[in-house]
Amino acid sequence: MATDYGYDSGLGFPETVRRHRVPAGLRAPFEGRTWREFGYVLLSLPISIVMFAYAVTMISLGAGLLVTFLGIPVFAAGLAGCRGLGALERARARGLLGLEVGDPEPIRMRKSGFMAWMGAVLKSGTSWRTLLYSVLHLPWATFSFVVAVNFWVYGWALLTYPLWFWVFPAYVGQDGLQLYGDQTHHIYLDNPFEIGVTALVGLLFTLATPWIVRALTMVDRVMVHGLLGPTRLTARVVELESDRGVVVDTAAADLRRIERDLHDGAQARLVALAMDLGLAKEKLTEDPAAAARMVDEAHGEVKTALQELRDLARGIHPAVLTDRGLDAALSAVASRCTVPVQVEVDLPARPAPAIEGIAYFTVSELLQNISKHSRATFAAVDVWRVENRLLLQVVDNGVGGADVSSGSGLAGLAERLDAVDGILVVDSPVGGPTRVTAELPWRGERV
């Protein structure tokens, strides 16, 4: 096993990268993943028999009792049991296959009570999908069990044949493993060449078995994900709920930042200004020259406070963005960057104000990062539209090493974009250059 040393992005500490000298095809029979997948296939058959028997029994019993009221509760109990077995299958897939599948939509009852629960179970699509899984998985589990076990057993048996072929002449009374035989002819694998060829065939079977098992479990992954996991609609609802939480948290953080900037900046200066003007008023008759100096200083404080208020308003939503759009607003941001920035905006029309604001904020934050951390001498901003997506790209020739996963401001930008179905992609190798691409949904400005 060889060891290379690189550098962890953004940290500068050496990072160990291991490369196996043994090819993946030769490692596969001994890897833990292969044995876990084989164990999954072995367990699938008995578990599928139980699930199939339970599902068929309960549904048949419920169908037979539909002429009475008891059929509906039996149906509901059968579906609830299938849901429980589906939870077991999801846990088994997570543990042995490493399949990260979310839990499906829970049973939602508008009222309390047994009747409401029974109706919710019967109406739930998850219940019927788990029933379908319980019925369909048995044939596939049987097929995959037979294929995997046969390949596994025959592969290892033939591979180790040189070690145990002596059993046949010693205990069975024949020269070796019988390849063919009838009433007059018998062919045994008993000479060194035939034993070697047998072991070679076993080696091929042994090396192929992990990939065959992996292919079989891929079908299981599809079935578990498609029938036992959440539907696309449910997953989308969960994603939107998460995005709503991110938007609320971001808005709250922005409000706290604005309050802090007002309290520590402009508000403090205005309080000091009021005190200075009060002192100047008292000295106006006694010492006009000192009062004039104090008024002059207060005038400077007013200018500084006004500048801070402008900067704060610009950080929230600059007037130039509202009046003239992204091109002018981004050019204004670029002019305040510490490195030369080339801005190119190619849009057929203005996007919706919300998308325009997020695009402005994204570029502004990226240019601030360039000013503070990149040590770049040049940067470029490109904005264009492709079908129903708005694309932003910020490039600099700095030192690189930017990483979204390090919990920096880039992670906050990625969350903000994700809240509106946007994407942030960072390509920043150590040594540079850095290329950050943001993608936002295009929504036109409402007239």
Side-chain angles (χ1 to χ4, degrees), residues 276 279-285 287-296:
D276 291 342
L279 293 174
K281 181 180 178 181
E282 293 177 358
K283 291 181 177 290
L284 186 60
T285 56
D287 190 354
R293 287 195 304 272
M294 297 180 69
V295 170
D296 186 63

Side-chain angles (χ1 to χ4, degrees), residues 104-105 124-134 226-231:
E105 182 182 8
S124 173
T126 301
S127 303
W128 295 100
R129 289 199 308 274
T130 54
L131 173 64
L132 183 62
Y133 177 88
S134 301
L227 294 177
L228 301 182
T231 62

Side-chain angles (χ1 to χ4, degrees), residues 314-327:
R314 189 183 297 114
I316 299 172
H317 195 90
V320 66
L321 178 62
T322 303
D323 298 337
R324 300 173 57 190
L326 268 178
D327 195 354

Side-chain angles (χ1 to χ4, degrees), residues 292-303:
R293 287 195 304 272
M294 297 180 69
V295 170
D296 186 63
E297 293 175 358
H299 183 256
E301 289 292 323
V302 169
K303 290 182 177 179

Side-chain angles (χ1 to χ4, degrees), residues 224-268:
V224 171
H225 191 274
L227 294 177
L228 301 182
T231 62
R232 290 185 178 181
L233 178 60
T234 303
R236 181 61 176 162
V237 169
V238 172
E239 181 182 356
L240 291 176
E241 290 177 349
S242 176
D243 291 345
R244 182 182 61 183
V246 171
V247 171
V248 172
D249 293 341
T250 302
D254 289 342
L255 288 175
R256 289 194 297 269
R257 176 180 59 82
I258 294 170
E259 189 276 335
R260 183 178 64 251
D261 291 344
L262 285 173
H263 183 271
D264 298 340
Q267 181 179 345

Side-chain angles (χ1 to χ4, degrees), residues 88-154:
L88 172 65
E89 283 293 274
R90 287 193 298 274
R92 189 166 68 97
R94 288 192 200 101
L96 296 178
L97 300 182
L99 178 64
E100 293 299 328
V101 55
D103 294 331
E105 182 182 8
I107 298 175
R108 301 184 183 275
M109 297 186 299
R110 296 182 179 179
K111 300 179 181 179
S112 59
F114 176 73
M115 297 296 293
W117 172 85
M118 188 168 57
V121 170
L122 292 173
K123 293 178 182 178
S124 173
T126 301
S127 303
W128 295 100
R129 289 199 308 274
T130 54
L131 173 64
L132 183 62
Y133 177 88
S134 301
V135 175
L136 293 181
H137 194 249
L138 178 60
W140 174 251
T142 304
F143 172 79
S144 58
F145 180 90
V146 172
V147 172
V149 169
N150 276 280
F151 269 89
W152 198 277
V153 171
Y154 278 103

Side-chain angles (χ1 to χ4, degrees), residues 27 52 68 87 341 396 401:
R27 295 196 318 267
F52 182 87
T68 67
V341 181
D396 69 79

